[in-house]
Coordinates of all heavy atoms in Angstrom, one line a residue:
M1 N 116.5 91.5 88.8 CA 116.0 92.8 88.8 C 116.6 93.6 90.0 O 116.8 93.0 91.1 CB 114.5 92.9 88.8 CG 113.9 92.2 87.6 SD 114.5 92.9 86.1 CE 113.1 93.4 85.3
Q2 N 116.7 94.9 89.8 CA 117.2 95.8 90.9 C 116.1 96.8 91.2 O 115.2 97.1 90.4 CB 118.5 96.4 90.5 CG 119.6 95.5 90.3 CD 120.9 96.1 89.8 OE1 121.1 97.3 90.0 NE2 121.7 95.4 89.2
K3 N 116.1 97.4 92.4 CA 115.2 98.4 92.8 C 115.5 99.7 92.1 O 115.9 100.7 92.7 CB 115.1 98.5 94.3 CG 114.6 97.2 94.9 CD 114.4 97.4 96.4 CE 112.9 97.5 96.5 NZ 112.4 97.7 97.8
I4 N 115.2 99.7 90.8 CA 115.5 100.9 89.9 C 114.2 101.2 89.2 O 113.5 100.4 88.7 CB 116.6 100.7 88.9 CG1 117.9 100.4 89.7 CG2 116.8 101.9 88.0 CD1 119.1 99.9 88.7
I5 N 113.9 102.5 89.2 CA 112.8 103.0 88.3 C 113.5 103.8 87.2 O 114.2 104.9 87.5 CB 111.8 103.9 89.1 CG1 111.2 103.1 90.2 CG2 110.8 104.5 88.1 CD1 110.3 104.0 91.1
Y6 N 113.5 103.4 86.0 CA 114.1 104.0 84.9 C 113.2 105.1 84.3 O 112.1 104.8 83.8 CB 114.5 103.0 83.8 CG 115.3 103.5 82.7 CD1 116.6 103.1 82.6 CD2 114.8 104.3 81.7 CE1 117.4 103.5 81.6 CE2 115.6 104.8 80.7 CZ 116.9 104.3 80.6 OH 117.7 104.7 79.6
A7 N 113.6 106.4 84.4 CA 112.7 107.5 84.0 C 113.1 107.9 82.6 O 114.1 108.6 82.4 CB 112.8 108.6 85.0
S8 N 112.4 107.5 81.6 CA 112.7 107.8 80.2 C 111.7 108.9 79.8 O 110.6 108.7 79.3 CB 112.4 106.6 79.3 OG 112.7 106.9 78.0
L9 N 112.2 110.2 80.0 CA 111.3 111.3 79.9 C 111.7 112.3 78.8 O 111.2 113.4 78.8 CB 111.3 112.1 81.3 CG 110.9 111.3 82.5 CD1 111.1 112.1 83.8 CD2 109.5 110.8 82.4
L10 N 112.6 111.9 77.9 CA 113.1 112.8 76.9 C 112.5 112.6 75.6 O 112.2 111.5 75.1 CB 114.6 112.6 76.9 CG 115.4 112.9 78.2 CD1 116.9 112.6 78.0 CD2 115.2 114.3 78.6
S11 N 112.5 113.7 74.8 CA 112.1 113.8 73.4 C 112.7 115.0 72.8 O 112.8 116.0 73.4 CB 110.6 113.8 73.3 OG 110.2 113.8 71.9
S12 N 113.1 114.8 71.5 CA 113.5 116.0 70.8 C 112.3 116.6 70.0 O 112.5 117.7 69.4 CB 114.6 115.6 69.8 OG 114.2 114.6 68.9
T13 N 111.2 116.0 70.1 CA 110.0 116.5 69.4 C 109.3 117.6 70.4 O 108.9 117.2 71.5 CB 109.0 115.4 69.1 OG1 109.6 114.4 68.4 CG2 107.7 115.9 68.4
P14 N 109.2 118.8 69.9 CA 108.7 119.9 70.8 C 107.4 119.5 71.5 O 107.2 119.8 72.7 CB 108.6 121.1 69.9 CG 109.5 120.8 68.8 CD 109.6 119.3 68.6
E15 N 106.5 118.9 70.8 CA 105.2 118.6 71.4 C 105.3 117.6 72.6 O 104.3 117.5 73.4 CB 104.2 118.0 70.4 CG 103.9 119.0 69.3 CD 104.9 119.1 68.2 OE1 105.8 118.2 68.1 OE2 104.9 120.1 67.4
Y16 N 106.3 116.8 72.7 CA 106.5 115.8 73.7 C 107.5 116.1 74.7 O 107.7 115.4 75.7 CB 106.9 114.4 73.0 CG 105.9 113.9 72.1 CD1 106.2 113.7 70.7 CD2 104.5 113.7 72.5 CE1 105.3 113.3 69.8 CE2 103.6 113.2 71.6 CZ 104.0 113.0 70.2 OH 103.0 112.6 69.4
Q17 N 108.1 117.3 74.6 CA 109.2 117.7 75.6 C 108.5 118.1 76.9 O 107.6 118.9 76.9 CB 110.0 118.8 75.0 CG 110.9 118.3 73.9 CD 111.8 119.4 73.3 OE1 111.5 120.6 73.6 NE2 112.8 119.0 72.6
L18 N 109.1 117.6 78.0 CA 108.6 117.9 79.3 C 109.4 119.1 79.9 O 109.0 119.7 80.9 CB 108.7 116.7 80.3 CG 107.8 115.6 79.8 CD1 108.1 114.3 80.7 CD2 106.3 116.0 79.9
G19 N 110.6 119.3 79.4 CA 111.4 120.5 79.8 C 111.6 120.6 81.3 O 112.0 119.7 82.0
D20 N 111.2 121.8 81.8 CA 111.4 122.1 83.2 C 110.5 121.4 84.2 O 110.6 121.5 85.4 CB 111.3 123.6 83.5 CG 110.0 124.2 83.1 OD1 109.1 123.5 82.6 OD2 109.8 125.4 83.3
R21 N 109.6 120.5 83.7 CA 108.8 119.7 84.5 C 109.5 118.4 84.9 O 109.0 117.7 85.8 CB 107.5 119.4 83.8 CG 106.6 120.6 83.7 CD 105.3 120.3 82.9 NE 105.7 120.0 81.5 CZ 104.8 119.8 80.5 NH1 103.6 119.8 80.8 NH2 105.3 119.6 79.3
I22 N 110.6 118.1 84.2 CA 111.3 116.8 84.5 C 111.8 116.8 86.0 O 111.5 115.8 86.6 CB 112.5 116.6 83.5 CG1 111.9 116.2 82.1 CG2 113.4 115.5 84.0 CD1 112.9 116.1 81.0
P23 N 112.4 117.8 86.5 CA 112.8 117.7 87.9 C 111.6 117.5 88.9 O 111.7 116.7 89.8 CB 113.5 119.1 88.2 CG 113.9 119.6 86.9 CD 112.9 119.0 85.9
E24 N 110.5 118.1 88.6 CA 109.3 117.9 89.4 C 108.8 116.4 89.4 O 108.5 115.9 90.4 CB 108.2 118.8 88.9 CG 106.9 118.7 89.6 CD 105.8 119.6 89.0 OE1 106.1 120.5 88.2 OE2 104.7 119.3 89.3
I25 N 108.9 115.9 88.2 CA 108.5 114.5 88.0 C 109.4 113.5 88.8 O 109.0 112.6 89.5 CB 108.4 114.1 86.5 CG1 107.2 114.9 85.9 CG2 108.2 112.6 86.3 CD1 107.2 114.9 84.4
L26 N 110.7 113.8 88.6 CA 111.7 112.9 89.2 C 111.6 113.0 90.8 O 111.7 112.0 91.5 CB 113.1 113.4 88.8 CG 113.5 113.1 87.3 CD1 114.9 113.7 87.0 CD2 113.5 111.6 87.0
R27 N 111.4 114.3 91.3 CA 111.2 114.5 92.7 C 110.0 113.7 93.2 O 110.1 113.0 94.2 CB 111.1 116.0 93.0 CG 111.0 116.3 94.5 CD 111.0 117.8 94.8 NE 112.3 118.4 94.5 CZ 112.6 119.1 93.4 NH1 111.7 119.3 92.5 NH2 113.8 119.6 93.3
A28 N 108.9 113.8 92.5 CA 107.7 113.1 93.0 C 107.9 111.6 93.0 O 107.5 110.9 94.0 CB 106.5 113.5 92.1
I29 N 108.5 111.0 92.0 CA 108.7 109.6 91.9 C 109.6 109.2 93.0 O 109.4 108.2 93.7 CB 109.4 109.2 90.5 CG1 108.4 109.5 89.4 CG2 109.8 107.7 90.5 CD1 109.1 109.4 88.0
A30 N 110.7 109.9 93.2 CA 111.7 109.6 94.3 C 111.1 109.6 95.7 O 111.3 108.7 96.5 CB 112.9 110.5 94.2
L31 N 110.3 110.7 96.0 CA 109.7 110.8 97.3 C 108.6 109.8 97.6 O 108.5 109.3 98.7 CB 109.1 112.2 97.4 CG 110.1 113.4 97.5 CD1 109.4 114.7 97.5 CD2 111.1 113.2 98.7
H32 N 107.9 109.3 96.5 CA 106.9 108.3 96.7 C 107.4 106.9 96.7 O 106.7 105.9 97.0 CB 105.8 108.4 95.6 CG 104.9 109.6 95.9 ND1 105.1 110.8 95.4 CD2 103.7 109.6 96.6 CE1 104.1 111.6 95.8 NE2 103.3 110.9 96.5
N33 N 108.7 106.7 96.3 CA 109.4 105.4 96.2 C 110.7 105.5 96.8 O 111.8 105.3 96.2 CB 109.4 105.0 94.8 CG 108.1 104.9 94.1 OD1 107.4 103.9 94.3 ND2 107.7 105.9 93.4
P34 N 110.8 105.7 98.1 CA 112.1 106.0 98.8 C 113.1 104.7 98.8 O 114.3 104.9 98.9 CB 111.8 106.4 100.2 CG 110.4 105.8 100.4 CD 109.7 105.8 99.1
D35 N 112.5 103.5 98.6 CA 113.3 102.3 98.5 C 113.9 102.0 97.2 O 114.6 101.1 97.0 CB 112.5 101.1 99.0 CG 112.1 101.2 100.5 OD1 112.8 102.0 101.2 OD2 111.1 100.6 100.8
Y36 N 113.6 102.9 96.2 CA 114.0 102.7 94.8 C 115.0 103.8 94.4 O 114.9 104.9 94.9 CB 112.9 102.8 93.8 CG 112.1 101.5 93.8 CD1 111.1 101.2 94.7 CD2 112.3 100.5 92.8 CE1 110.4 100.0 94.7 CE2 111.6 99.3 92.8 CZ 110.6 99.1 93.7 OH 109.9 97.9 93.7
T37 N 115.9 103.5 93.5 CA 116.7 104.5 92.8 C 116.0 104.9 91.6 O 115.5 104.0 90.8 CB 118.1 103.9 92.4 OG1 118.8 103.5 93.6 CG2 118.9 104.9 91.6
V38 N 115.9 106.2 91.4 CA 115.2 106.7 90.2 C 116.4 107.1 89.2 O 117.1 108.0 89.5 CB 114.3 107.9 90.5 CG1 113.7 108.4 89.2 CG2 113.2 107.5 91.5
F39 N 116.5 106.5 88.1 CA 117.5 106.7 87.1 C 117.0 107.6 86.0 O 116.0 107.4 85.5 CB 118.1 105.4 86.5 CG 119.0 105.6 85.4 CD1 120.4 105.9 85.7 CD2 118.6 105.6 84.1 CE1 121.3 106.2 84.7 CE2 119.5 105.8 83.1 CZ 120.8 106.1 83.3
F40 N 117.9 108.6 85.7 CA 117.5 109.6 84.6 C 118.8 109.9 83.9 O 119.8 110.4 84.4 CB 116.9 110.8 85.1 CG 116.6 111.8 84.0 CD1 115.6 111.6 83.1 CD2 117.3 113.0 83.9 CE1 115.3 112.5 82.1 CE2 117.1 113.9 83.0 CZ 116.1 113.7 82.0
N41 N 118.8 109.7 82.6 CA 120.0 110.0 81.7 C 119.7 111.4 81.1 O 118.8 111.6 80.3 CB 120.2 109.0 80.6 CG 121.4 109.4 79.8 OD1 122.4 109.9 80.2 ND2 121.4 109.0 78.5
N42 N 120.4 112.4 81.6 CA 120.2 113.8 81.1 C 120.9 114.0 79.8 O 122.0 114.5 79.7 CB 120.8 114.7 82.2 CG 120.6 116.2 81.8 OD1 119.6 116.5 81.2 ND2 121.5 117.0 82.2
L43 N 120.2 113.7 78.7 CA 120.7 114.0 77.4 C 120.4 115.4 77.1 O 119.3 115.9 77.3 CB 120.0 113.1 76.3 CG 120.4 111.7 76.2 CD1 119.5 111.0 75.1 CD2 121.8 111.5 75.9
T44 N 121.5 116.1 76.6 CA 121.3 117.5 76.3 C 121.2 117.8 74.8 O 120.9 119.0 74.4 CB 122.5 118.3 76.9 OG1 123.7 117.8 76.4 CG2 122.5 118.2 78.4
R45 N 121.4 116.8 74.0 CA 121.3 117.0 72.6 C 120.9 115.7 71.9 O 121.4 114.6 72.3 CB 122.6 117.5 72.0 CG 122.6 117.9 70.6 CD 123.8 118.8 70.3 NE 123.8 119.2 68.9 CZ 123.2 120.2 68.4 NH1 122.4 120.9 69.2 NH2 123.2 120.5 67.1
W46 N 119.9 115.7 71.0 CA 119.5 114.5 70.2 C 119.0 115.0 68.9 O 118.3 116.0 68.8 CB 118.4 113.9 71.0 CG 117.9 112.6 70.4 CD1 116.8 112.4 69.6 CD2 118.5 111.3 70.5 NE1 116.7 111.1 69.2 CE2 117.8 110.4 69.7 CE3 119.7 110.8 71.1 CZ2 118.1 109.1 69.6 CZ3 120.0 109.5 71.0 CH2 119.2 108.6 70.3
A47 N 119.3 114.2 67.8 CA 118.9 114.5 66.5 C 119.3 116.0 66.1 O 118.4 116.7 65.5 CB 117.4 114.3 66.3
N48 N 120.5 116.4 66.4 CA 121.0 117.7 66.2 C 120.1 118.9 66.8 O 120.1 120.0 66.3 CB 121.1 118.0 64.6 CG 122.2 117.1 64.1 OD1 123.2 116.9 64.6 ND2 121.9 116.5 62.9
K49 N 119.4 118.5 67.9 CA 118.6 119.5 68.6 C 119.0 119.6 70.0 O 119.2 118.5 70.7 CB 117.1 119.2 68.5 CG 116.6 119.3 67.1 CD 115.1 118.9 67.1 CE 114.6 118.9 65.6 NZ 113.2 118.5 65.5
D50 N 119.1 120.8 70.6 CA 119.4 120.9 72.0 C 118.1 120.5 72.8 O 117.0 120.8 72.3 CB 119.8 122.3 72.4 CG 121.2 122.7 71.9 OD1 122.0 121.7 71.7 OD2 121.5 123.9 71.6
I51 N 118.3 119.9 73.9 CA 117.2 119.5 74.8 C 117.4 120.1 76.1 O 118.4 120.0 76.8 CB 117.1 118.0 74.9 CG1 116.9 117.3 73.5 CG2 115.9 117.6 75.8 CD1 117.0 115.8 73.6
Y52 N 116.4 120.8 76.6 CA 116.4 121.4 78.0 C 115.6 120.6 78.9 O 114.4 120.3 78.7 CB 115.8 122.9 77.9 CG 115.8 123.5 79.3 CD1 116.9 123.8 80.0 CD2 114.5 123.7 79.9 CE1 116.8 124.3 81.3 CE2 114.5 124.2 81.2 CZ 115.6 124.6 81.9 OH 115.5 125.1 83.1
N53 N 116.2 120.1 80.0 CA 115.6 119.2 80.9 C 115.4 119.8 82.3 O 115.2 119.1 83.3 CB 116.4 117.9 81.0 CG 116.6 117.3 79.7 OD1 115.6 117.2 78.9 ND2 117.8 116.8 79.3
G54 N 115.4 121.1 82.4 CA 115.2 121.8 83.7 C 116.4 121.7 84.6 O 117.4 121.2 84.3
D55 N 116.2 122.3 85.8 CA 117.3 122.4 86.8 C 117.3 121.1 87.6 O 116.4 120.9 88.4 CB 117.1 123.6 87.7 CG 118.2 123.8 88.7 OD1 119.1 122.9 88.8 OD2 118.0 124.7 89.5
L56 N 118.3 120.3 87.4 CA 118.3 118.9 88.0 C 119.1 118.9 89.4 O 119.5 117.9 89.8 CB 118.9 117.9 87.1 CG 118.1 117.8 85.8 CD1 118.9 116.9 84.8 CD2 116.7 117.2 86.0
T57 N 119.3 120.1 89.9 CA 120.0 120.2 91.2 C 119.0 120.1 92.4 O 117.8 120.4 92.2 CB 120.8 121.5 91.4 OG1 119.9 122.6 91.3 CG2 121.9 121.6 90.3
G58 N 119.5 119.6 93.5 CA 118.6 119.6 94.7 C 117.6 118.5 94.7 O 116.6 118.6 95.5
L59 N 117.8 117.5 93.9 CA 116.8 116.3 93.9 C 117.1 115.4 95.1 O 118.2 115.4 95.6 CB 116.9 115.6 92.6 CG 116.4 116.4 91.4 CD1 116.7 115.7 90.1 CD2 114.9 116.7 91.5
P60 N 116.1 114.6 95.5 CA 116.3 113.6 96.6 C 117.5 112.7 96.3 O 117.9 112.5 95.1 CB 115.0 112.8 96.6 CG 114.0 113.7 96.0 CD 114.7 114.5 95.0
S61 N 118.1 112.2 97.3 CA 119.3 111.4 97.2 C 119.2 110.1 96.5 O 120.1 109.5 96.0 CB 119.9 111.1 98.6 OG 119.0 110.4 99.4
N62 N 117.9 109.6 96.3 CA 117.7 108.4 95.6 C 117.5 108.6 94.1 O 117.1 107.7 93.3 CB 116.6 107.6 96.2 CG 115.2 108.3 96.2 OD1 115.1 109.5 96.3 ND2 114.2 107.5 96.0
V63 N 117.7 109.8 93.6 CA 117.7 110.1 92.2 C 119.1 110.0 91.6 O 120.0 110.7 92.1 CB 117.1 111.5 91.9 CG1 117.1 111.8 90.4 CG2 115.6 111.6 92.3
R64 N 119.3 109.2 90.6 CA 120.6 109.1 90.0 C 120.6 109.7 88.6 O 119.9 109.3 87.8 CB 121.0 107.6 89.8 CG 122.3 107.4 89.1 CD 122.6 105.9 88.9 NE 123.7 105.8 87.9 CZ 124.0 104.6 87.3 NH1 123.3 103.5 87.7 NH2 124.9 104.6 86.4
I65 N 121.3 110.8 88.5 CA 121.4 111.5 87.2 C 122.7 111.2 86.6 O 123.8 111.3 87.2 CB 121.3 113.1 87.5 CG1 120.1 113.5 88.2 CG2 121.4 113.8 86.1 CD1 118.8 113.4 87.5
E66 N 122.7 110.8 85.3 CA 123.8 110.6 84.5 C 123.7 111.7 83.3 O 122.6 112.1 83.0 CB 124.0 109.2 83.9 CG 124.2 108.2 85.0 CD 125.6 108.3 85.7 OE1 126.5 108.9 85.1 OE2 125.7 107.8 86.8
H67 N 124.8 112.0 82.8 CA 124.8 113.1 81.7 C 125.3 112.5 80.4 O 126.4 112.0 80.3 CB 125.6 114.3 82.1 CG 125.1 114.9 83.4 ND1 124.0 115.7 83.4 CD2 125.5 114.7 84.7 CE1 123.8 116.1 84.7 NE2 124.6 115.5 85.5
N68 N 124.4 112.5 79.4 CA 124.8 112.1 78.0 C 125.4 110.7 78.0 O 126.4 110.4 77.4 CB 125.7 113.1 77.4 CG 125.0 114.4 77.2 OD1 123.9 114.5 76.6 ND2 125.6 115.5 77.8
M69 N 124.9 109.8 78.8 CA 125.4 108.4 78.9 C 125.2 107.7 77.6 O 124.2 107.9 76.9 CB 124.6 107.7 80.0 CG 125.1 106.4 80.5 SD 124.1 105.8 81.8 CE 125.3 104.8 82.6
D70 N 126.0 106.8 77.3 CA 126.0 106.0 76.1 C 124.7 105.1 76.0 O 124.3 104.6 77.1 CB 127.2 105.0 76.0 CG 127.2 104.2 74.8 OD1 127.5 104.7 73.7 OD2 126.9 103.0 75.0
F71 N 124.1 105.0 74.9 CA 122.8 104.3 74.7 C 122.9 102.9 75.2 O 122.0 102.4 75.9 CB 122.4 104.4 73.2 CG 121.2 103.6 72.9 CD1 119.9 104.1 73.3 CD2 121.2 102.4 72.2 CE1 118.7 103.5 73.1 CE2 120.0 101.7 72.0 CZ 118.8 102.3 72.4
L72 N 124.0 102.2 74.9 CA 124.1 100.8 75.3 C 124.2 100.6 76.8 O 123.7 99.7 77.4 CB 125.2 100.1 74.6 CG 125.1 99.9 73.1 CD1 126.3 99.3 72.5 CD2 123.8 99.1 72.8
E73 N 124.9 101.6 77.5 CA 125.0 101.6 78.9 C 123.6 101.8 79.5 O 123.2 101.2 80.5 CB 125.9 102.7 79.4 CG 127.4 102.4 79.1 CD 128.3 103.5 79.5 OE1 128.3 104.5 78.8 OE2 128.9 103.4 80.6
C74 N 122.8 102.7 78.9 CA 121.4 102.9 79.4 C 120.6 101.7 79.2 O 119.8 101.4 80.1 CB 120.8 104.1 78.6 SG 121.5 105.7 79.1
L75 N 120.7 101.0 78.2 CA 120.0 99.7 78.0 C 120.3 98.7 79.0 O 119.4 98.0 79.5 CB 120.3 99.1 76.6 CG 119.6 99.8 75.4 CD1 120.0 99.1 74.1 CD2 118.1 99.9 75.6
E76 N 121.5 98.7 79.5 CA 121.9 97.8 80.5 C 121.2 98.1 81.8 O 120.7 97.2 82.6 CB 123.4 97.7 80.7 CG 123.9 96.7 81.7 CD 123.5 95.3 81.3 OE1 123.4 94.9 80.1 OE2 123.4 94.5 82.3
I77 N 121.1 99.4 82.2 CA 120.4 99.8 83.4 C 118.9 99.5 83.2 O 118.3 99.0 84.1 CB 120.6 101.3 83.6 CG1 122.1 101.5 84.0 CG2 119.7 101.8 84.8 CD1 122.5 102.9 84.1
L78 N 118.4 99.8 82.0 CA 116.9 99.5 81.8 C 116.7 98.0 81.9 O 115.7 97.6 82.5 CB 116.6 99.9 80.4 CG 115.2 99.6 79.9 CD1 114.1 100.3 80.8 CD2 115.0 100.1 78.4
R79 N 117.6 97.1 81.5 CA 117.4 95.7 81.6 C 117.3 95.2 83.0 O 116.5 94.2 83.2 CB 118.6 95.0 80.9 CG 118.5 93.5 80.7 CD 119.8 92.9 80.1 NE 120.9 93.0 81.0 CZ 121.1 92.1 82.0 NH1 120.2 91.2 82.3 NH2 122.2 92.2 82.8
V80 N 117.9 95.8 83.9 CA 117.9 95.4 85.3 C 116.9 96.1 86.2 O 116.8 95.9 87.4 CB 119.3 95.4 86.0 CG1 120.2 94.4 85.2 CG2 119.8 96.8 86.1
S81 N 116.2 97.1 85.6 CA 115.2 97.9 86.4 C 113.9 97.2 86.6 O 113.5 96.4 85.8 CB 114.9 99.2 85.6 OG 116.1 100.0 85.4
D82 N 113.4 97.5 87.8 CA 112.0 96.9 88.1 C 110.9 97.6 87.3 O 110.0 96.9 86.9 CB 111.7 97.1 89.6 CG 112.4 96.0 90.5 OD1 112.8 94.9 89.9 OD2 112.4 96.2 91.7
Y83 N 111.1 98.9 87.1 CA 110.0 99.7 86.4 C 110.6 100.7 85.5 O 111.8 101.1 85.6 CB 109.2 100.5 87.4 CG 108.5 99.6 88.5 CD1 109.0 99.5 89.7 CD2 107.3 99.0 88.1 CE1 108.4 98.7 90.7 CE2 106.7 98.2 89.1 CZ 107.2 98.0 90.3 OH 106.6 97.3 91.3
V84 N 109.9 101.1 84.5 CA 110.3 102.1 83.6 C 109.1 103.1 83.4 O 107.9 102.7 83.3 CB 110.7 101.6 82.2 CG1 109.6 100.8 81.5 CG2 111.3 102.7 81.3
L85 N 109.4 104.3 83.4 CA 108.4 105.4 83.2 C 108.7 106.0 81.9 O 109.8 106.6 81.7 CB 108.5 106.4 84.3 CG 107.6 107.6 84.1 CD1 106.1 107.2 84.2 CD2 107.9 108.7 85.2
I86 N 107.8 105.9 80.9 CA 108.0 106.5 79.6 C 107.0 107.6 79.3 O 105.8 107.4 79.5 CB 107.8 105.4 78.5 CG1 108.8 104.2 78.7 CG2 108.0 106.0 77.1 CD1 108.6 103.0 77.9
S87 N 107.5 108.7 78.9 CA 106.6 109.8 78.6 C 106.2 109.8 77.1 O 106.8 109.2 76.3 CB 107.3 111.1 78.9 OG 108.4 111.4 78.1

């Protein structure tokens, strides 16, 4: 395992979308866990729907943002993560 917190915060279902709250959540996790990398895959489209994930700039240095990463690559990161946060 690696010191990674995998933040799985996305949904294409409107009732479950966190939208512009995602950066706030990532920031809080990162600041409370400075020894961990917080991983977030910024998917911008799923199931033929656009997904808005807020302004992801200016986050702490221990937040790792990837953009539209391949599902299997994400599973590999999830496999080695110490924790996962699922919304």
Side-chain angles (χ1 to χ4, degrees):
M1 297 306 236
Q2 297 178 21
K3 294 189 103 179
I4 299 171
I5 299 171
Y6 189 107
S8 180
L9 305 173
L10 300 177
S11 178
S12 60
T13 304
E15 296 81 15
Y16 300 120
Q17 289 178 346
L18 297 172
D20 59 358
R21 291 178 290 188
I22 289 176
E24 177 184 346
I25 294 167
L26 293 173
R27 183 175 289 104
I29 296 167
L31 292 175
H32 283 88
N33 299 280
D35 295 337
Y36 282 83
T37 297
V38 179
F39 173 81
F40 177 71
N41 183 29
N42 181 33
L43 283 179
T44 56
R45 189 161 177 82
W46 184 262
N48 294 317
K49 295 179 183 177
D50 291 333
I51 302 173
Y52 175 68
N53 301 317
D55 180 3
L56 299 172
T57 61
L59 293 171
S61 62
N62 61 326
V63 176
R64 175 183 167 194
I65 304 289
E66 295 293 337
H67 301 280
N68 298 304
M69 191 178 207
D70 179 75
F71 178 72
L72 293 178
E73 291 177 281
C74 286
L75 284 180
E76 185 58 30
I77 294 170
L78 177 61
R79 187 182 70 78
V80 298
S81 296
D82 277 343
Y83 301 101
V84 62
L85 175 66
I86 300 173
S87 66

